[in-house]
Amino acid sequence: LHLLSRRQRQMCIRDSRDSDVDLKIEKGSVMSLFQLSGLRLDIEDALRVPVDLVTNDSSDHEFLDMIAKDEVLLYGYPGN
């Protein structure tokens, strides 16, 4: 699970009511679309801010390469 830090820096500047959290997850084959939606809703409920989820297999590889430098690992092992 990665936090996209560029958005995190912007959150410090913007009013917290307009802030959101952008997360990239390594979905794997275990999670279904319903489970991903449930995860997003659970995180939104816990943080009380909107959450955007990006998965490693549902996004364009150029986009993933572009955001890689802004990722902050929250959970998991580096390099995964």
Side-chain angles (χ1 to χ4, degrees), residues 14-62:
R14 297 187 316 192
D15 181 57
S16 62
R17 290 173 290 167
D18 297 329
S19 298
D20 69 345
V21 174
D22 296 325
L23 299 171
K24 185 190 103 180
I25 63 170
E26 305 290 327
K27 178 176 105 44
S29 61
V30 179
M31 295 189 86
S32 70
L33 182 59
F34 292 111
Q35 290 169 318
L36 282 173
S37 296
L39 175 64
R40 182 185 62 82
L41 293 173
D42 288 345
I43 295 170
E44 284 183 345
D45 287 345
L47 299 178
R48 297 183 182 180
V49 295
V51 172
D52 294 326
L53 278 182
V54 175
T55 61
N56 60 316
D57 65 344
S58 67
S59 299
D60 178 49
H61 288 288
E62 286 183 33

